[in-house]
Structure formats: C-alpha cells, structure tokens
Amino acid sequence: MNPEQAAVVANFLFATFENEAKTTRKVIAAVPEDKHDYRPDPNARTAFELAWHLAQADIYFLNGVASGDFSKRVERPAEVKTIADIVAWYDKNLPESLAKVRALPAEKLTQAIDFHGFFSFPALQYLMVRNNHGIHHRGQLATYLRPMGAKVPKIYGGSFDEPMQMAARP
C-alpha cells in the first residue's frame, strides 16, 4: 500500500474509531459501581478489570502507532479506582492519543512496527487491530451488564433497554 492509499484508509478508520469509542464509553459507563467486581466465571476478568483493559488498550494502540513502538505499557494511575474514574481517564486521554495518530504523515502509516516479537504489521493495520480488539472486549463487557442488573446500551442496533428509534419519514 502506498502512502496515498494509507491516508484514505486511515481517514475511514478514524471516523469508524471515533464512533466505536463513543460506544465503548457507553458500555464502560453502564457498569454499576457497586457491582464492578462481578465476573461470570472464576477465570474471567472482573467488570472493572475488563473496563480498564478496554480503555487502556485504545490508548495503548494509538500511542504505539503514533510512536512506532509498542514497548511502553499504559499503566492504570493510582487515582483510577472506580468506573467513573475509568470513563474520565478515557475521556481525557483518547482525544490526545487520536490526535497524535491523525497528525502522522501518510508515509509513517505504511511503516512496519514490531509487536513484542509476535508479528510486525504496517502501522495502519494496528488501527484495525485496535478496532477489532475493542469490539471483542466490549462484547464481553456488554454480556456482564444484564447479570449485574445494569441496562445494556445499543451498540450496533437496539437493545431491550435502548431500542432503536426509526426516523420519521417525510
């Protein structure tokens, strides 16, 4: 893929990612604070752990693409102790991380980045990996919501709790 093609794909992925991030935020915010230790199985992450993983992974992938290096982990700050703290942290860090990637020259998007020795993809491909990773874990967290007594927000279509509203036809 040449840089011009990469720029077109990146612009499409940025728009997609911004929409996905809004949905991710809604799912994280739906986790009840008093049930954030819920896990459906002893081997599963708690709702809090999964919510943090979702938020930090978005920032991790964006920062890795921006810097061309995935060696720097995103550690949870000590002050992030609640679901509301995760949402606030996500709201603060996401725009800055996304802006760094948007500012990259198209040539950088075509350069390969090593991912911990497991694989090496062009930077642009990690934006899609980030998207798929987020969808995967967001789906996991969404399945936790109803057993915790929470409402499930609409994600790609309506949910029982947030049905789709069809626009009125003229």
Side-chain angles (χ1 to χ4, degrees), residues 108-113 120-127:
K108 289 287 252 183
L109 296 172
T110 63
Q111 294 176 354
I113 305 173
S120 180
F121 296 140
L124 180 66
Q125 193 166 344
Y126 288 105
L127 296 180

Side-chain angles (χ1 to χ4, degrees), residues 1-108:
M1 177 177 297
N2 67 44
E4 293 76 28
Q5 293 166 325
V8 169
V9 172
N11 284 330
F12 169 77
L13 290 175
F14 293 145
T16 300
F17 180 69
E18 287 171 351
N19 189 53
E20 294 294 331
K22 288 176 191 172
T23 304
T24 294
R25 185 194 187 285
K26 282 192 331 186
V27 171
I28 293 170
V31 173
E33 292 288 358
D34 64 337
K35 304 266 177 76
H36 78 260
D37 286 334
Y38 173 81
R39 69 175 84 215
D41 181 88
N43 295 315
R45 291 177 177 166
T46 67
F48 183 86
E49 291 166 340
L50 197 48
W52 172 250
H53 181 67
L54 264 168
Q56 71 81 28
D58 278 357
I59 305 309
Y60 172 75
F61 276 105
L62 290 170
N63 289 348
V65 168
S67 67
D69 178 18
F70 285 107
S71 66
K72 186 175 180 197
R73 297 178 53 92
V74 176
E75 300 294 338
R76 181 168 55 92
E79 64 273 10
V80 175
K81 296 177 180 174
T82 67
I83 294 298
D85 293 341
I86 293 172
V87 172
W89 182 90
Y90 191 66
D91 287 347
K92 178 181 179 239
N93 288 280
L94 184 69
E96 178 184 317
S97 295
L98 188 56
K100 288 180 198 173
V101 177
R102 280 187 177 274
L104 288 175
E107 295 77 26
K108 289 287 252 183

